[in-house]
């Protein structure tokens, strides 16, 4: 289910000079803001939770997920180079699964690690805030990568749709419409973070059992359907 050659090509595509600069911009911004906030406000648990929740988990992680998830396959489909990959004796689910692993790894590195560093800068991991949001970033990286990899497989406008989901649905509607929060990867990951941190600083509108089930279901279904779409793309090309 994992092909090293496909993985190497995907890493090379995702970590090219231009895309790497884009991926690294938000983590650098998060850490820089954290340094400034710590210098101005000192170590404050509520401030740390607000910044990590509002900037890291709600903005940085989904945007990086969009870049990594759609970038793992979308450009190959757009420029037609995916034909060369599909001509190899590889099962289509293997291609998708390999690209998913790469997208997850890239998303985790560029989101979870900076979140941990920012958390320690802000309050030294007081009340497990840094670790809790880091775990949330790790968990959400998996679901985001699967969702946005699927978007990259089915649409030529995957980046636009991904940003609409991340910034409009989760950030805007999620803050205004309570029912929308149930269908939010951010809220699912916050349920896990709440379990890690305890207390009232990290909260979620979704219970941990529900969040766990939804995270698994969405990740599995998105990965499976992406494999099916890639298979149909192959058949259409052969016809």
């Amino acid at each position: 289910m994992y092909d090293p050659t496909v993985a190497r090509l995907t890493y090379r595509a995702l970590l090219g000079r231009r895309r790497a600069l884009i991926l690294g911009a938000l983590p650098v911004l998060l850490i820089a803001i954290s340094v400034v906030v710590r210098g101005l406000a000192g170590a404050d648990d509520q401030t740390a939770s607000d910044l990590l929740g509002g900037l890291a988990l709600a903005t940085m992680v989904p945007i990086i997920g969009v870049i990594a998830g759609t970038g793992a396959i979308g450009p190959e489909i757009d420029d037609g180079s995916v034909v060369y990959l599909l001509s190899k004796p590889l099962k289509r689910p293997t291609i998708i699964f390999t690209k998913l692993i790469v997208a997850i790894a890239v998303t985790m590195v560029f989101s979870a690690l900076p979140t941990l560093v920012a958390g320690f800068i802000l309050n030294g991991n007081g009340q497990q805030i840094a670790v809790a949001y880091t775990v949330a970033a790790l968990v959400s990286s998996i679901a985001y990568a699967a969702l946005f990899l699927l978007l990259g497989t089915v649409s030529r406008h995957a980046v636009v749709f991904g940003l609409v989901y991340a910034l409009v649905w989760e950030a805007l509607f999620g803050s205004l419409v309570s029912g929308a929060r149930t269908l939010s990867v951010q809220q699912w990951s916050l349920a896990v973070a709440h379990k890690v941190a305890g207390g009232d600083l990290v909260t979620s509108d979704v219970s941990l059992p529900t969040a766990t089930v939804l995270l698994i279901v969405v990740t599995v279904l998105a990965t499976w359907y992406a494999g099916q779409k890639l298979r149909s793309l192959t058949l259409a090309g052969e016809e």
Side-chain angles (χ1 to χ4, degrees), residues 163-187:
L163 290 176
V164 167
Y165 172 81
L167 301 180
V168 177
W169 177 264
E170 291 208 340
L172 181 59
F173 283 97
S175 63
L176 299 176
V177 183
S178 59
R181 298 169 193 161
T182 305
L183 300 177
S184 167
V185 174
Q186 177 188 342
Q187 290 297 323

Side-chain angles (χ1 to χ4, degrees), residues 97-166:
F97 183 76
T98 301
K99 288 182 174 293
L100 174 63
I101 294 300
V102 173
I104 290 173
V106 170
T107 306
M108 286 181 172
V109 168
F110 282 91
S111 62
L113 287 180
T115 299
L116 182 64
V117 172
F120 273 96
I121 291 173
L122 287 165
N123 75 333
N125 195 38
Q127 298 195 52
Q128 294 293 307
I129 295 299
V131 172
Y133 278 104
T134 299
V135 172
L138 291 170
V139 170
S140 59
S141 292
I142 300 173
Y144 281 132
L147 280 173
F148 298 138
L149 179 65
L150 172 60
L151 279 178
T153 307
V154 302
S155 173
R156 292 181 177 271
H157 306 289
V159 174
V160 175
F161 291 138
L163 290 176
V164 167
Y165 172 81

Side-chain angles (χ1 to χ4, degrees), residues 49-72:
S49 180
D50 291 343
L51 183 58
L52 293 179
L55 180 56
L57 195 62
T59 304
M60 182 183 71
V61 181
I63 290 178
I64 291 176
V66 169
I67 297 171
T70 61

